[in-house]
Amino acid sequence: MTLIAMPEADPTVLARRADIVKELKRFLPETSIIVSEDERRAYDTDALTAYRQLPMVVVLPETTEQVSEILGFCNAEGIKVVARGAGTSLAGGALPAEDAIVIGVSKMNQVLDVDFDNRTARVQAGITNIGISNAVAHAGFFYAPDPSSQLACTIAGNVAMNSGGAHCLKYGVTTNNVLGVKAVLIDGTVVEVGGDWLDAAGYDWLGLLIGSEGQLAIVTEVTVRLLRTAEGARPILLGFDRVETAGACVSDIIASGIIPVAIEYMDKPAIKVCESFAHAGYPLDVEALLIVEVEGSDDEIEFYLDKITAIAEKHAPQSLKVSQSEAESAAIWKGRKAAFGAIGRVSDYMCMDGTIPTGQLPHVLKRISEICESYDLGVANIFHAGDGNLHPLVLYNMNDPAEMVKVEECGAEILKLCVEVGGCLTGEHGVGIEKRELMTHQFDQVDLDQQMALKGVFDPQWLLNPAKVFPLANRPKPAQTGQRVAA
Amino acid sequence: MSDTVRPETEDALAAFVAEADSKALPLDIRGGGTKRALGRPTQTGATIDLSGLTGITLYEPSELVIAARAGTPVADVEAALAENGQHLAFEPMDYRHLYGMNGGSSTIGAVAACNISGPRRIMTGAARDSLIGVRLVNGKGEAVKSGGRVMKNVTGYDLVKLMAGAHGTLGILTEVTFKVLPKPEAALTLVYAGLADEKAREAMSEALGSPFEITGAAHLPGDPARTLLRIEGFPQSLDYRAGELTRDLKRFGTPERLETEASETEWQAIRDVVPLAAPTERAVWRISTAPTRGPAVAAAISNRIDAAYYFDWGGGLIWLACAAEGDAGAAIIREALGGKGHATLVRAPDDIRAAVDVFEPQPDALMALTKGVKTTFDPGGILNPGRMYAGV
């Protein structure tokens, strides 16, 4: 029995399943409707694989108009909707509900327009994150936010969760890199917010929609900001024999006036697994490893690396190695970006995502080991040190129900610690179901009530991804405006 | 004249707002009083003066974060940052030149509430991109918080962004937390002379599409026209980048070079709309569109009305002055934009700002959401009522 409950399914909706499928065929081709249990099985979880639930039906619309028809229908019928990109959420953001229709955006995956003069691209929401950068790389441009799952994850999911990545220390997260969206409201209304210009008019709808975890609208098109690729980039590897020293080195680098594009941290267990996977030349005898990347011209890179080396040397690093070639740099990043997958081959894990003030790094890392030890669970730490976004991977056995409860409790304790030291529950993965019941540790009820009131404005019946983000207790009563067809 | 209340704590402010809500007393929210003329004129029963809520509450230079109570003068925040070689990267504009004010100081809360950015916005984002945490009192007198003091935070809905640019119509900010950045050691501006608007836009697009990290790109038409490109960083790197840019942009001429101090003076004037501040009786518009459409939009407007203008943000931001008569050019300007961007009337007499849409009108669906969201924060409609839109 896990601690994370899902609400009871509505039996009246389940009873109408056959009729609902028939209705969907009015505005969707049969190839866009997934009904059979076998095929629905592919949508029963996301990257938080410990939780599974078959959805009632899955639809894969090809146009904004189809999304509009589906939502209008669901709103009128009072049917819940779970939007889905590639299903790579680590927080259970795309976990279906038994009585919900899953709307997958994977068929809407085209680049619609690239404008190098204005440095923007307009894409359909189902395109992969890397797909955008691939479409503009020939001209020397890229789309900046780079989640580790960027080969698979969609911009739709990035918008829903306000995804970050290793390089957002310099370039910001999704909300800093999106200029406009086309979105469908629950009643089927299509709205356009912003466009190819800076600072959309009126209230900051982009800011509100980005990171709203599919609870306010479904985004079908996105206009992103493109950036010119730097002339060059080079990482330096800094190994330390103490976690605290690595933390102090991070603080000193940032205080020195240099903003590297990335400062990534790995601890010993993570280094070992990643090195055996990527052969990146990570030092194996250190307790903590920093990957610090700088970019610019050769001279600029040289200048920054000299400065960073001087700072690091004050902390007596056990090893210090500058990447000597593009191949070596690629291997260093391959190891980092594959870290979650590589560790997944060794053990099941629950990936935490709290953010803390960077000055608290040594204290928090020490407490994390103590907490995990107290639950008799292993932990590997891999995270974005520059901005304090931690990813402790708590290792456990998914098939052991007792360990499942233990890992949830252990994870909750780690996240509460992050809040206690001035941080937050989630830096880039989102709340989903995983952190839903922990929200009261970061927010007072009045804060949550204000957020939930906004949900009520966009989605009065609470049909869009309703089981997520907010604790199940103390929710407002949803409006009952849906006209239901006779069962 | 209405009564003025000057709370010194968030609790006192919340109690007063709750009482005002129960009496349906509309409130005017005042920080430093430098932007009284921004937005639609409002009719209120009392003024909330935030000058009692001051002070930096948190500053951790090594974590690139600063928090201050909303009534803290921007100058105080900037001075504290400067002591540690840091700054607000989005370069907030100072409206006093435009409004002909000598004294006073804008507050850090107003910078957040009005989402005020400057030329560096093209590189480092707007005020809303650096704003990472807020505390506010909503129209029911409830103290609400969102965001925090860490760089990356996706916990719950991003009310921080919603507050930025809501001009105090959703909540009264009491404390704001900003991400800050190291202030570049040096700056260098390349100035090209005599380029026509579209040619200048091409030069700016090319520069902004280069890897040389342009932090300012403006074009001032005139005799001669001047096109300015700013780069910032450590001195050795500036020489290199200036050299590369000069070579890449050779077809646009040979640029004059402005070093750090001269460069700063130029960009401050561009930031604060000094070129259009006089004559003071003219209306001033702030127009945002895609850079490639900027010159055509400006031409379409100035073909029909007598207008003076210049471009920032590589051509995407047009500052435009015209006669403050009739609708102050609103219809013509918005027709020229064709829905692809937005125009804000930042300076005009009260009667004009009461009669025309000061902010870009929203499509019906977004206006319905605007009203719905307003109701959740401020059901009595007492916070800066009508400042952005009638009835909001």
Side-chain angles (χ1 to χ4, degrees), chain A residues 61-73:
Chain A
E62 291 164 343
T63 64
T64 300
E65 291 69 31
Q66 288 175 353
V67 174
S68 164
E69 297 256 31
I70 298 162
L71 288 186
F73 167 72

Side-chain angles (χ1 to χ4, degrees), chain A residues 191-214:
Chain A
V191 293
E192 290 195 44
V193 180
D196 57 2
W197 54 91
L198 296 176
D199 297 342
Y203 287 162
D204 194 345
W205 302 120
L206 287 174
L208 182 60
L209 288 176
I210 296 169
S212 63
E213 306 205 7

Side-chain angles (χ1 to χ4, degrees), chain A residues 94-368:
Chain A
L95 180 74
E98 190 185 352
D99 54 353
I101 295 178
V102 166
I103 301 185
V105 296
S106 55
K107 286 191 176 177
M108 296 188 280
N109 59 3
Q110 300 300 302
V111 173
L112 299 173
D113 186 30
V114 174
D115 181 345
F116 290 120
D117 270 348
N118 289 321
R119 300 171 308 287
T120 60
R122 193 163 58 90
V123 299
Q124 290 184 313
I127 192 170
T128 58
N129 173 291
I130 197 78
I132 302 175
S133 287
N134 286 345
V136 297
H138 67 277
F141 287 83
F142 72 111
Y143 172 64
D146 61 338
S148 295
S149 57
Q150 70 184 141
L151 297 177
C153 67
T154 62
I155 190 74
N158 291 178
V159 165
M161 299 317 229
N162 192 11
S163 307
H167 290 80
C168 51
L169 185 56
K170 179 171 177 189
Y171 296 118
V173 295
T174 304
T175 195
N176 312 116
N177 288 281
V178 167
L179 298 176
V181 297
K182 184 184 272 189
V184 187
L185 305 178
I186 186 66
D187 66 356
T189 308
V190 178
V191 293
E192 290 195 44
V193 180
D196 57 2
W197 54 91
L198 296 176
D199 297 342
Y203 287 162
D204 194 345
W205 302 120
L206 287 174
L208 182 60
L209 288 176
I210 296 169
S212 63
E213 306 205 7
Q215 290 200 309
L216 301 183
I218 293 186
V219 167
T220 58
E221 277 179 32
V222 184
T223 302
V224 299
R225 197 163 78 107
L226 299 178
L227 296 180
R228 177 62 193 256
T229 313
E231 285 178 276
R234 212 181 310 158
I236 177 171
L237 294 175
L238 302 170
F240 296 92
D241 57 359
R242 283 162 50 90
V243 170
E244 290 82 357
T245 323
C249 185
V250 170
S251 289
D252 283 359
I253 290 171
I254 290 179
S256 75
I258 305 172
I259 304 294
V261 268
I263 305 181
E264 297 291 293
Y265 176 103
M266 287 190 206
D267 67 5
K268 198 167 200 170
I271 298 166
K272 217 174 109 190
V273 175
C274 295
E275 176 60 20
S276 68
F277 172 81
H279 308 293
Y282 298 153
L284 291 167
D285 54 345
V286 300
E287 287 301 319
L289 175 68
L290 297 177
I291 306 172
V292 184
E293 183 162 79
V294 296
E295 50 177 41
S297 66
D298 288 346
D299 285 353
E300 288 169 309
I301 288 174
E302 212 58 52
F303 175 85
Y304 288 129
L305 288 179
D306 283 352
K307 259 184 130 168
I308 289 168
T309 303
I311 293 165
E313 273 169 354
K314 283 188 208 151
H315 296 279
Q318 224 173 318
S319 77
L320 189 156
K321 194 175 104 184
V322 175
S323 163
Q324 297 301 325
S325 67
E326 273 191 33
E328 205 176 319
S329 301
I332 286 169
W333 279 110
K334 184 181 166 204
R336 168 59 188 89
K337 292 209 170 179
F340 291 5
I343 289 175
R345 266 181 255 180
V346 180
S347 166
D348 298 326
Y349 64 81
M350 193 75 94
C351 175
M352 302 292 117
D353 178 43
T355 307
I356 59 162
T358 47
Q360 297 284 341
L361 267 175
H363 166 67
V364 170
L365 290 174
K366 184 160 161 278
R367 283 288 299 131
I368 288 175

Side-chain angles (χ1 to χ4, degrees), chain B:
Chain B
M1 281 304 286
S2 62
D3 295 338
T4 295
V5 183
R6 187 173 174 277
E8 291 188 348
T9 64
E10 186 185 82
D11 284 349
L13 171 65
F16 182 79
V17 173
E19 197 191 328
D21 186 38
S22 71
K23 293 184 197 156
L25 178 72
L27 302 174
D28 178 36
I29 304 155
R30 187 182 194 281
T34 65
K35 288 178 278 294
R36 313 294 292 159
L38 181 61
R40 301 172 75 248
T42 56
Q43 289 186 327
T44 50
T47 296
I48 303 261
D49 174 358
L50 292 171
S51 65
L53 284 175
T54 57
I56 291 167
T57 50
L58 167 90
Y59 179 30
E60 288 289 347
S62 69
E63 294 174 7
L64 305 175
V65 61
I66 195 163
R69 293 195 187 88
T72 311
V74 178
D76 291 5
V77 173
E78 286 179 334
L81 293 171
E83 273 181 35
N84 287 280
Q86 298 184 332
H87 70 166
L88 296 169
F90 52 90
E91 209 175 8
M93 166 188 173
D94 184 344
Y95 273 78
R96 288 177 302 169
H97 297 275
L98 207 48
Y99 296 143
M101 302 170 78
N102 291 317
S105 168
S106 180
T107 61
I108 194 70
V111 165
C114 305
N115 188 25
I116 295 175
S117 317
R120 210 181 282 110
R121 195 257 173 271
I122 49 172
M123 175 73 191
T124 56
R128 57 87 89 176
D129 293 293
S130 287
L131 186 65
I132 57 175
V134 294
R135 292 188 62 87
L136 63 109
V137 170
N138 69 15
K140 296 181 272 187
E142 296 167 340
V144 176
K145 63 178 178 296
S146 178
R149 59 170 287 195
V150 289
M151 297 303 139
K152 277 168 82 182
N153 185 347
V154 296
T155 322
Y157 297 164
D158 196 348
L159 304 191
V160 177
K161 299 278 186 306
L162 196 53
M163 287 299 125
H167 293 261
T169 59
L170 297 179
I172 304 173
L173 295 176
T174 57
E175 187 181 56
V176 294
T177 306
F178 280 103
K179 169 187 170 180
V180 300
L181 284 178
K183 190 174 160 63
E185 279 176 44
L188 178 65
T189 295
L190 303 179
V191 187
Y192 291 83
L195 300 181
D197 294 355
E198 175 55 23
K199 204 78 191 160
R201 198 281 306 159
E202 279 173 33
M204 292 190 287
S205 283
E206 188 162 336
L208 287 164
S210 78
F212 305 117
E213 303 201 336
I214 305 294
T215 67
H219 174 65
L220 304 154
D223 192 19
R226 299 167 76 229
T227 309
L228 295 89
L229 299 171
R230 177 175 65 181
I231 49 179
E232 295 172 296
F234 62 91
Q236 303 88 315
S237 138
L238 292 190
D239 277 342
Y240 165 75
R241 286 188 277 156
E244 294 294 296
L245 275 168
T246 305
R247 204 190 58 205
D248 289 354
L249 301 180
K250 207 165 70 190
R251 71 178 199 277
F252 299 101
T254 306
E256 176 197 353
R257 282 190 184 202
L258 301 178
E259 306 292 331
T260 302
E261 268 174 43
S263 168
E264 198 159 309
T265 310
E266 285 281 351
W267 286 100
Q268 206 164 321
I270 290 166
R271 181 192 77 181
D272 296 343
V273 202
V274 171
L276 302 181
T280 54
E281 65 276 10
R282 297 198 102 193
V284 174
W285 287 86
R286 182 180 184 274
I287 303 165
S288 179
T289 188
T292 52
R293 290 195 298 272
V297 167
I301 298 166
S302 60
N303 283 342
R304 296 174 65 184
I305 53 175
D306 175 28
Y309 59 83
Y310 70 91
F311 303 90
D312 195 357
W313 297 357
L317 178 66
I318 308 168
W319 288 101
L320 182 141
C322 59
E325 289 161 8
D327 70 352
I332 286 167
I333 288 167
R334 293 198 166 119
E335 193 187 316
L337 266 178
K340 293 181 167 180
H342 56 93
T344 309
L345 178 56
V346 297
R347 188 176 78 185
D350 282 5
D351 57 334
I352 295 182
R353 283 185 295 114
V356 307
D357 291 310
V358 168
F359 295 93
E360 189 71 22
Q362 299 262 289
D364 289 348
L366 292 181
M367 201 60 213
L369 289 174
T370 301
K371 289 180 174 167
V373 166
K374 167 79 172 177
T375 303
T376 69
F377 280 92
D378 179 22
I382 61 166
L383 302 180
N384 272 354
R387 185 96 186 214
M388 290 184 78
Y389 303 102
V392 172

Side-chain angles (χ1 to χ4, degrees), chain A residues 360-425:
Chain A
Q360 297 284 341
L361 267 175
H363 166 67
V364 170
L365 290 174
K366 184 160 161 278
R367 283 288 299 131
I368 288 175
S369 343
E370 288 167 7
I371 291 168
C372 292
E373 218 163 285
S374 76
Y375 283 93
D376 200 19
L377 294 171
V379 62
N381 280 294
I382 300 167
F383 58 81
H384 314 302
D387 43 34
N389 186 195
L390 308 184
H391 294 315
L393 306 181
V394 185
L395 311 177
Y396 75 112
N397 176 1
M398 200 188 284
N399 297 318
D400 176 347
E403 283 226 334
M404 186 80 202
V405 173
K406 258 196 339 190
V407 77
E408 282 181 356
E409 285 174 352
C410 176
E413 232 179 279
I414 291 171
L415 294 181
K416 284 181 207 168
L417 168 69
C418 293
V419 175
E420 266 165 39
V421 300
C424 65
L425 296 172

